[in-house]
Amino acid sequence: GVIYEADLLAPVSCSTRGESCRTVTSFGLLGGKPGAISRVSFAPVGGGEAELPQYANVDLQPGRLLIEAGGGGGFGDPFERPAEEVLRDVRDGVVSLVAARGDYGVAVRPGTLEVDAQETGRLRKRR
């Protein structure tokens, strides 16, 4: 998914419309996993964060608006994705080291950002 953050410096009126909030709406194909559930929240200056309604017109005071877009579902078994493609996603910052290992079965060395081929083979075989 993608995370959007906006600092609101003045009061605003806005509409929320979150089809993929609270339920999965993007399913994977051919063994791919579903996309994450999206989330929209707001933290007023000096206050705690709270989720915004799924569908509403809301008036917001200055504070931080956070939108976590869940993204689309996957295509194909993630453990069959070439390790070099997973590594590229890690280097581009769209897949974490933890997700590379757990979701794709690809071990990436944290210091060098290189694939550990032996460990990757072990992870993928063990599954």
Side-chain angles (χ1 to χ4, degrees):
V2 176
I3 298 175
Y4 303 93
E5 291 182 85
D7 288 324
L8 305 181
L9 304 177
V12 299
S13 271
C14 65
S15 296
T16 61
R17 182 176 177 192
E19 280 85 6
S20 61
C21 292
R22 297 173 184 75
T23 57
V24 171
T25 59
S26 56
F27 300 94
L29 295 172
L30 302 173
K33 295 181 180 181
I37 295 173
S38 297
R39 185 173 167 268
V40 179
S41 62
F42 178 72
V45 171
E49 183 179 308
E51 287 196 28
L52 292 179
Q54 192 169 1
Y55 301 99
N57 293 318
V58 294
D59 295 319
L60 301 175
Q61 296 304 310
R64 173 157 289 192
L65 179 64
L66 178 67
I67 301 169
E68 299 175 60
F75 184 81
D77 183 344
F79 270 55
E80 292 179 12
R81 184 149 193 241
E84 290 302 319
E85 291 182 19
V86 176
L87 177 63
R88 183 187 65 224
D89 288 344
V90 169
R91 288 179 175 164
D92 288 346
V94 295
V95 172
S96 70
L97 293 171
V98 171
R101 184 179 190 88
D103 295 339
Y104 295 93
V106 176
V108 178
R109 293 186 184 104
T112 61
L113 291 185
E114 294 174 340
V115 172
D116 180 331
Q118 186 175 2
E119 179 67 4
T120 295
R122 189 186 68 75
L123 289 169
R124 288 184 164 188
K125 181 186 271 189
R126 191 173 69 179
R127 180 175 162 233

